[in-house]
Amino acid sequence: MNPPSICSSSSSSSSDGSSSNTKAWIVHGIVAGVAIAVAVGAHAYLGRFGKFRSRVVGIIPARYASSRFQGKPLVHILGKPMIQRTWEMAKLASTLDHIVVATDDDKIAECCRGFGAHVIMTSESCRNGTERCNEALQKLEKKYDIVVNIQGDEPLIEPEIIDGVVKALQAAPDAVFSTAVTSLKPEDAFDPNRVKCVVDNRGYAIYFSRGLIPFNKSGKVNPQFPYMLHLGIQSYDSKFLKIYPELQPTPLQLEEDLEQLKVLENGYKMKVIKVDHEAHGVDTPEDVEKIESYMRERNLS
């Protein structure tokens, strides 16, 4: 594994073909959201303002300092910095009008400009990726209705998933936030770095946890239960994103160290879509070796 460094690699877009794996996703949030839109009078909103939440920007928040993995955005995965791989996948999404990298680090900024990304410098005081996205949004010249927070530590994220969370939010005007989940592997059930999620019958998030949810009396993984793993990608209504930093930290958010819980604790709705995705989040240096092995096995460049 190469150490984190300022990159000088190719800026050609990745064509690893991983996007084809998500053609059969289960977008159980979008269809229900359309019905909800009618019920709450979205037709009137559309009549006044045109297409609902039509302008979309993708933001990749990136910071060098990390307690678990310092310099993670710049770590090389089969010859390319991880953040470049994320950016290349995001470029393939059809719903994004623009993509930027938001960072507080000059090394990351230099790297990203080198492969052609638009970079916005943000403050070191941002407490999480959501706040970094908000600061970047305020510095953009154009106005956007939806901001997609594209986590840089999922370098194989399919563009269809990005499009899916955008469409889910567009179809659910009573939600201010949307995100994606996939099936949880049994071996990841008790890994605190793999965040779990439960949703209601209409596809809205109930809770997120680093622990296994739902939990049963036996204290063991139930092989028959469809546990769900939260993927880092999430989108926000831009008006809500401006409010988010002003909301005080909440008890559940602080206890779990999960920023999306602050959204739920304050009573806002979050739409969730289920996708078929082979999750490969990079949380530790050991994860880099795992993802490189996976890519070699499938001849992904």
Side-chain angles (χ1 to χ4, degrees):
M1 179 183 73
N2 295 324
S5 61
I6 297 177
C7 63
S8 58
S9 57
S10 167
S11 63
S12 60
S13 293
S14 170
S15 58
D16 57 28
S18 62
S19 62
S20 62
N21 295 331
T22 54
K23 300 297 184 183
W25 58 9
I26 309 171
V27 194
H28 65 244
I30 295 177
V31 176
V34 172
I36 296 167
V38 176
V40 299
H43 183 270
Y45 188 102
L46 293 171
R48 289 180 59 196
F49 299 105
K51 186 179 178 183
F52 187 55
R53 293 171 174 164
S54 61
R55 297 163 298 182
V56 185
V57 61
I59 301 180
I60 307 173
R63 65 189 183 103
Y64 192 89
S66 172
S67 58
R68 289 183 295 179
F69 193 170
Q70 186 167 337
K72 181 167 66 171
L74 299 182
V75 69
H76 279 224
I77 296 177
L78 295 186
K80 287 184 181 181
M82 182 164 64
I83 194 166
Q84 180 179 352
R85 290 193 174 277
T86 303
W87 178 81
E88 289 175 349
M89 296 306 290
K91 290 281 286 183
L92 300 177
S94 63
T95 55
L96 301 183
D97 298 305
H98 189 49
I99 303 170
V100 301
V101 174
T103 186
D104 58 5
D105 185 83
D106 291 333
K107 295 183 289 296
I108 292 176
E110 181 181 342
C111 170
C112 294
R113 292 187 182 110
F115 58 75
H118 177 193
V119 178
I120 294 180
M121 299 304 295
T122 53
S123 171
E124 293 182 1
S125 64
C126 292
R127 293 171 290 184
N128 51 51
T130 303
E131 291 191 8
R132 198 171 302 282
C133 285
N134 178 55
E135 184 178 337
L137 176 67
Q138 307 313 314
K139 293 182 177 180
L140 285 170
E141 293 181 2
K142 293 185 177 180
K143 302 298 182 183
Y144 294 93
D145 305 308
I146 290 177
V147 177
V148 187
N149 180 344
I150 304 169
Q151 304 259 347
D153 56 7
E154 261 276 344
L156 297 184
I157 191 74
E158 288 96 335
E160 288 89 351
I161 296 179
I162 297 173
D163 292 336
V165 297
V166 170
K167 292 174 182 178
L169 191 56
Q170 289 173 331
D174 58 340
V176 298
F177 194 117
S178 65
T179 190
V181 297
T182 194
S183 297
L184 178 71
K185 296 178 181 179
E187 60 266 30
D188 292 334
F190 298 103
D191 184 346
N193 292 320
R194 302 294 187 251
V195 177
K196 295 79 176 176
C197 176
V198 288
V199 301
D200 66 18
N201 291 335
R202 297 166 65 207
Y204 290 90
I206 297 175
Y207 194 68
F208 296 84
S209 180
R210 295 186 181 277
L212 183 63
I213 52 174
F215 200 66
N216 57 59
K217 293 180 179 180
S218 73
K220 300 177 181 179
V221 176
N222 177 2
Q224 305 303 317
F225 191 88
Y227 300 102
M228 291 187 290
L229 170 69
H230 180 228
L231 301 176
I233 180 133
Q234 44 206 26
S235 70
Y236 327 94
D237 181 281
S238 62
K239 296 183 180 66
F240 168 74
L241 187 58
K242 294 177 183 178
I243 297 171
Y244 178 87
E246 300 173 4
L247 299 175
Q248 292 299 309
T250 54
L252 296 176
Q253 174 202 3
L254 295 174
E255 184 65 18
E256 295 263 16
D257 190 21
L258 295 174
E259 59 184 282
Q260 59 269 31
L261 288 177
K262 183 167 76 168
V263 180
L264 297 181
E265 283 186 87
N266 277 283
Y268 293 99
K269 288 193 173 183
M270 185 182 305
K271 200 69 175 175
V272 179
I273 62 170
K274 173 78 181 295
V275 302
D276 181 12
H277 174 63
E278 185 75 16
H280 291 282
V282 178
D283 296 299
T284 67
E286 291 74 25
D287 290 331
V288 175
E289 298 176 8
K290 293 177 183 178
I291 197 171
E292 286 186 328
S293 296
Y294 173 87
M295 293 174 69
R296 289 191 188 100
E297 290 172 2
R298 287 156 180 78
N299 198 29
L300 304 177
S301 59

